[in-house]
Amino acid sequence: MVADTNEALDDCALLLLTLGPDRAAEVLKHMSPREVQKLGSAMAKLPPQPRERVEKLVEQMQLHAARGSQIEAHEDDIRIMLTKALGDERAANLISRVLQGSDTAGIESLKWMDAATAADLIKNEHPQIIATILVHLEFDHAGEILKHFTERQRNDILLRIATLDGVQPTALRELNEALTRVLSGSGNSLKKTSMGGTKHAAEILNFVGSAAETAILDNVREYDPDLAQRILDEMFVFENLMDVDDRGIQVILREVQSDQLILALKGANPEMREKIFKNMSSRAAEMMREDLESKGPVRLSEVEGAQKEVLKIARRLSEEGQIALGGGGDDAFV
C-alpha cells in the first residue's frame, strides 16, 4: 500500500492524519511492519499542511472511491503488476513472500520484534533453521538480527543462506508450526519457496556493518572462494546509487568529502556522474567536472576504496531512515 515516491508517501501519511487516531489505527492493522514503519516515520516528519492540500487529497480519494464496483485482487494481476514495477529479479522474491499464503505467519510475527528480541528468541535454534527464518525477513532486519550472534554463528548462518536454493513446503510448515508455539502463528503452501542464495546473502551482508561483513566473507572465502566472489558481485555497489532519489543523493553528498567523491566518480559510468552533478549547485558541479578532468590516472583499488566509503555513508543514512536505498579485482588504472 505504501507508495515508493516521497510525495505519494506523504499523501498517504496526510490522509491517515485526517482520519484521526481511531480510524487510522484500523487502517494500520492491515499493513505490514515495514509499511507501518514507513508511514509512522512519514507522519512524524510531515510539516503543517495547508488546508487546501488536505481538501484536494480527500476530494481525490472520494472520486477514486466513486468510480465503480468492488475491486477484487487476482494472483496473476499481482504477479504482472509487481514484475512490471520491479523487474523480473526483484519481483520474484517479493512475489514468493506475498503469494505464499500463511505458511510463514509465525515467521512474519518476528518482523514486529526488534532485532535483539528476535535474535534472543531464535539464537538456540540450529543454524539451518535460523538461516531459513532470516531469508523470510527484510534484508536490513535480518542483517540487524545477525549482528546479535557470535562471529562463529554469523559465519555459519550466512554460509547456509548463500548455499540455500529454496525451502521445501514441508520444512517450511514444520518450522512455522514450531514458531507457532511461541508466536501464535499458522501455516500452508503448495510449492517450493524460492528463497536464499547468493543474492539474498549479499542483501543481508549490506546491513551487518563493515567489520562483520569482512569477517563473514573471509570465512566464506575459506570454504569456497568462488561462492565468496559471487556474493561480492551481488552486493550493493556504487552504481546502485542510481536507484536513490534526488533528495537522497543530496543528503549523501552533504556527508561526503570532495576529494573522496572525485576519486569515487573516477570509476563511475557517465550516467552515475550526471546523477551526482545534477544534485549539486551549478558552480559545484562545474568545479567537480574540472577536477575530474584534471586528475590523472588513479589505481582502481583507490577508486573502489572511495566508492566503498561513500556506500558506508549511504548505508548509515539508510539505517538512520534519512534515505531509502533502491537496493570488487585486479589493481588496474582508470
Side-chain angles (χ1 to χ4, degrees):
M1 178 268 166
V2 177
D4 289 332
T5 66
N6 291 320
E7 183 179 356
L9 184 59
D10 287 346
D11 283 345
C12 293
L14 180 57
L15 182 62
L16 280 178
L17 289 172
T18 64
L19 294 177
D22 293 336
R23 291 189 178 89
E26 290 302 314
V27 174
L28 291 172
K29 287 180 182 178
H30 298 280
M31 296 183 186
S32 69
R34 178 53 55 87
E35 289 175 326
V36 173
Q37 180 183 349
K38 283 186 176 181
L39 274 173
S41 178
M43 285 189 282
K45 296 176 181 177
L46 197 66
Q49 299 293 306
R51 192 66 202 173
E52 293 77 11
R53 185 185 177 194
V54 177
E55 292 173 350
K56 182 179 179 181
L57 181 60
V58 172
E59 182 181 349
Q60 289 174 342
M61 292 302 298
Q62 289 174 333
L63 289 173
H64 181 76
R67 279 177 185 163
S69 58
Q70 66 181 22
I71 298 174
E72 182 179 356
H74 295 284
E75 184 171 312
D76 287 343
D77 292 338
I78 295 173
R79 290 181 185 276
I80 293 171
M81 175 175 59
L82 291 177
T83 301
K84 284 185 175 181
L86 305 175
D88 292 338
E89 183 179 347
R90 294 175 64 190
N93 186 46
L94 181 59
I95 289 171
S96 67
R97 292 170 184 264
V98 171
L99 301 179
Q100 65 188 326
S102 57
D103 256 357
T104 58
I107 298 174
E108 288 289 315
S109 299
L110 291 175
K111 293 183 178 181
W112 294 98
M113 298 182 184
D114 63 87
T117 301
D120 188 62
L121 183 69
I122 63 177
K123 66 181 180 182
N124 294 322
E125 299 293 340
H126 189 280
Q128 189 66 32
I129 291 178
I130 297 175
T132 304
I133 290 173
L134 292 186
V135 299
H136 284 87
L137 303 180
E138 297 290 344
F139 300 123
D140 55 347
H141 194 199
E144 286 297 323
I145 292 173
L146 205 56
K147 289 180 183 178
H148 292 277
F149 294 123
T150 64
E151 181 178 350
R152 182 176 179 180
Q153 283 178 306
R154 289 198 300 265
N155 295 340
D156 191 4
I157 293 165
L158 200 284
L159 185 58
R160 291 172 186 273
I161 291 173
T163 54
L164 187 67
D165 66 353
V167 182
Q168 294 293 340
T170 302
L172 184 58
R173 190 177 300 113
E174 291 174 354
L175 171 59
N176 190 68
E177 288 172 355
L179 283 173
T180 296
R181 290 191 286 272
V182 180
L183 303 170
S184 301
S186 60
N188 187 20
S189 181
L190 297 176
K191 59 183 179 180
K192 182 177 179 179
T193 306
S194 177
M195 305 293 266
T198 55
K199 177 65 174 176
H200 211 116
E203 293 284 9
I204 291 175
L205 272 184
N206 282 328
F207 293 94
V208 300
S210 58
E213 173 190 307
T214 301
I216 292 172
L217 281 173
D218 286 345
N219 178 76
V220 176
R221 192 174 288 108
E222 289 181 13
Y223 169 82
D224 186 337
D226 290 338
L227 179 62
Q229 187 58 52
R230 291 202 303 274
I231 295 173
L232 269 172
D233 291 342
E234 296 280 11
M235 290 185 68
F236 187 78
V237 295
F238 193 70
E239 279 66 29
N240 292 140
L241 292 177
M242 286 291 295
D243 297 327
V244 179
D245 62 24
D246 289 344
R247 186 168 70 174
I249 291 294
Q250 292 161 20
V251 173
I252 293 172
L253 291 178
R254 288 200 291 268
E255 305 250 352
V256 179
Q257 296 180 359
S258 296
D259 292 346
Q260 190 176 65
L261 183 59
I262 291 171
L263 264 179
L265 290 180
K266 280 291 288 184
N269 59 44
E271 292 79 10
M272 186 71 247
R273 291 186 182 187
E274 288 306 315
K275 184 175 182 72
I276 297 296
F277 294 151
K278 80 171 186 176
N279 283 289
M280 295 177 165
S281 68
S282 57
R283 177 58 183 156
E286 181 183 348
M287 292 176 62
M288 184 66 65
R289 290 178 194 273
E290 292 174 354
D291 289 340
L292 275 170
E293 291 175 3
S294 62
K295 195 170 187 65
V298 294
R299 291 190 178 276
L300 182 59
S301 57
E302 294 181 57
V303 173
E304 290 174 342
Q307 290 182 348
K308 190 166 185 178
E309 290 304 312
V310 175
L311 290 176
K312 284 181 183 178
I313 292 172
R315 288 179 195 169
R316 173 175 59 78
L317 292 171
S318 175
E319 290 172 1
E320 293 172 356
Q322 295 190 51
I323 67 170
L325 295 178
D330 292 335
D331 210 19
F333 287 87
V334 294

